[in-house]
Amino acid sequence: MDLQLTDRAFIVTGGARGLGRATADVLVAEGARVVVSGRSAETLAAVREELGEAVEVVVADNADPTTPERLVRAALDRWGRLDGALVSVGGPPRGPVTTITDDQWTAAFESVFLGAVRLGRELGAALPRGGSLAFVLSSSVRAPLADMAISNGLRPGLAMVAKTLADELGPAGVRVNGLLPGRVETERVAELDAATGDPEAARAAGVASIPLRRYGEPAEFGRVAAFVLSPAASFVSGVMLPVDGGMLRAL
Ligand SMILES: NC(=O)c1ccc[n+]([C@@H]2O[C@H](COP(=O)([O-])OP(=O)(O)OC[C@H]3O[C@@H](n4cnc5c(N)ncnc54)[C@H](OP(=O)(O)O)[C@@H]3O)[C@@H](O)[C@H]2O)c1
């Protein structure tokens, strides 16, 4: 199947590593051009070096209100077009409702929730007919994760915002979807396992909860994200798609 990505231009936020980076890798391999953003000039320079001329990098925090406009401008200045975006960001800290502080909620709301809403609103308005937005969310959209109160609190609302945006942008021919990773083997997941104090036991428990009995590989997520962003998925909109090896108990 031809994903029809050649020469199309995409924005990938939070793309220096993890799921964003894996998606940028697939988009570039399929012939697309990508603006990759993150908060560290150093890690973005490494992305630029590894992916070469097909990539532009922009130091930009998703929580910053100027970020969407800067990213759109980077795509249009460099590639003269914008066809879609993957909105990813660093995940919120772990912890239970009983100990998460107001400051932690507020910081996570700014970057994970409001940052994504703002990017969706501004990037969505900049996309042409046939454009596609995908939000990296979490399996916590459908079922709570243990010790992940902030994710459990914010992701379901963000999924409903994405669904609403799909309604609003659909008449203009722009698609909006959410991706729900379960446990995909990124540095964040390794950090979350390590934070339990017994990473091997955490991983074993995680694997046991996945019917495919393994963590996902970032490239497996990247391929799904690239498909959803591509014209090959031209009639897929308003969907929350798990990429979780069957982990979610909800349909
Ligand atoms: N991996 C999984 O299995 C999984 C499962 C469920 C949900 N998720 C969610 O999916 C998202 C991506 O996960 P991941 O595993 O790829 O995480 P990751 O390995 O920590 O990567 C996150 C990326 O986002 C960048 N970033 C962090 N905060 C940012 C901000 N405020 N603005 C712009 N860029 C920012 C980071 O670079 P800098 O630090 O340099 O900015 C990094 O490149 C997270 O929100 C996570 O909670 C992941």
Side-chain angles (χ1 to χ4, degrees):
M1 176 171 59
D2 179 5
L3 296 182
Q4 302 164 57
L5 287 169
T6 305
D7 293 339
R8 290 183 194 273
F10 294 88
I11 290 166
V12 175
T13 72
R17 71 174 201 183
L19 304 180
R21 172 62 197 268
T23 303
D25 287 352
V26 177
L27 290 171
V28 168
E30 292 292 326
R33 281 94 53 108
V34 184
V35 175
V36 173
S37 69
R39 296 168 304 173
S40 154
E42 198 181 333
T43 52
L44 287 173
V47 175
R48 177 75 178 73
E49 194 166 317
E50 284 161 29
L51 290 181
E53 285 301 306
V55 166
E56 182 69 274
V57 297
V58 177
V59 179
D61 189 326
N62 279 22
D64 182 342
T66 69
T67 289
E69 194 260 329
R70 291 177 55 222
L71 296 178
V72 170
R73 192 160 14 94
L76 296 179
D77 287 353
R78 178 75 193 271
W79 315 118
R81 62 187 289 176
L82 179 62
D83 297 285
L86 182 84
V87 178
S88 188
V89 70
R94 60 196 284 273
V97 177
T98 44
T99 65
I100 298 278
T101 65
D102 283 8
D103 285 349
Q104 286 176 303
W105 276 105
T106 301
F109 180 81
E110 292 281 339
S111 64
V112 174
F113 194 97
L114 184 54
V117 170
R118 196 186 289 119
L119 281 156
R121 185 181 68 219
E122 309 287 324
L123 303 187
L127 290 176
R129 184 163 286 278
S132 175
L133 278 174
F135 293 92
V136 181
L137 303 175
S138 167
S139 62
S140 63
V141 162
R142 297 225 179 113
L145 291 165
D147 214 27
M148 295 291 291
I150 298 181
S151 179
N152 296 340
L154 298 186
R155 303 289 196 189
L158 206 43
M160 200 56 95
V161 171
K163 182 72 177 161
T164 305
L165 193 60
D167 291 347
E168 294 177 14
L169 298 182
V174 173
R175 298 179 297 109
V176 182
N177 292 290
L179 299 165
L180 315 185
R183 288 189 87 74
V184 181
E185 204 152 15
T186 63
E187 279 149 289
R188 170 171 167 81
V189 164
E191 288 160 8
L192 288 173
D193 283 351
T196 64
D198 188 346
E200 275 155 36
R203 187 188 174 95
V207 164
S209 73
I210 301 170
L212 289 180
R213 291 292 185 268
R214 63 180 178 84
Y215 281 4
E217 294 170 15
E220 292 179 295
F221 178 91
R223 288 195 293 271
V224 174
F227 166 71
V228 169
L229 288 171
S230 80
S234 53
F235 206 50
V236 178
S237 193
V239 163
M240 299 299 128
L241 179 60
V243 186
D244 70 346
M247 185 185 88
L248 263 171
R249 298 295 78 214
L251 277 176

